[in-house]
Amino acid sequence: MFSFPKEYRLLRRADFLRLSAAAHKLHTPSFLILAAPSAHGKGRIGITVSRKVGTAVVRNRIKRLVREYYRHHKGCFVSLDVNVIARRGAEKLDYRLVSQELDRAAERLAGIRC
């Protein structure tokens, strides 16, 4: 139920480029979220954290927190491809704060679904 198999991940560079070119953008204090209707019918997520955010340990922690949120809230992203880009400041967040920010973003994304 809470698994995260490959079919729910954005893996190809072309998918990330498509999202950056034609996606709806949402800004939160710690994340930039790009979302577009999925061509595959399943909601998929990609997570981008640049070296500007922190060391490898910090970047991996942010990715784990976002993946955990997505695993528990797949229903909010049923027909959307989403790329969550971490900004500076995201390294200070715990799971509760990440969840709050992404909950607000998911509410705003609800109107984009096709």
Side-chain angles (χ1 to χ4, degrees):
M1 177 174 195
F2 292 121
S3 64
F4 190 59
K6 280 193 175 185
E7 66 235 20
Y8 292 109
R9 302 178 202 170
L10 289 174
L11 298 173
R12 296 184 11 208
R13 184 173 192 270
D15 293 330
F16 284 94
L17 292 176
R18 181 183 62 83
L19 271 177
S20 64
H24 181 77
K25 294 180 174 128
L26 286 175
H27 300 272
T28 70
S30 301
F31 299 102
L32 169 63
I33 300 165
L34 308 174
S38 176
H40 297 285
K42 294 180 183 174
R44 300 181 301 164
I45 188 169
I47 305 166
T48 306
V49 185
S50 78
R51 286 189 293 177
K52 294 178 184 178
V53 176
T55 63
V57 172
V58 171
R59 294 192 309 266
N60 288 332
R61 181 179 168 277
I62 293 168
K63 289 187 272 188
R64 280 195 309 271
L65 293 174
V66 173
R67 271 196 307 267
E68 184 69 9
Y69 174 83
Y70 181 78
R71 284 182 344 101
H72 289 281
H73 297 87
K74 281 182 198 169
C76 298
F77 306 98
V78 171
S79 61
L80 292 174
D81 284 346
V82 178
N83 186 15
V84 178
I85 302 170
R87 296 175 161 178
R88 286 185 184 150
E91 69 275 4
K92 298 174 184 144
L93 301 178
D94 61 359
Y95 180 74
R96 182 181 55 84
L97 294 173
V98 167
S99 183
Q100 286 175 356
E101 275 195 42
L102 295 178
D103 277 341
R104 284 191 297 264
E107 288 172 9
R108 290 190 278 167
L109 283 175
I112 297 173
R113 292 188 200 149
C114 295

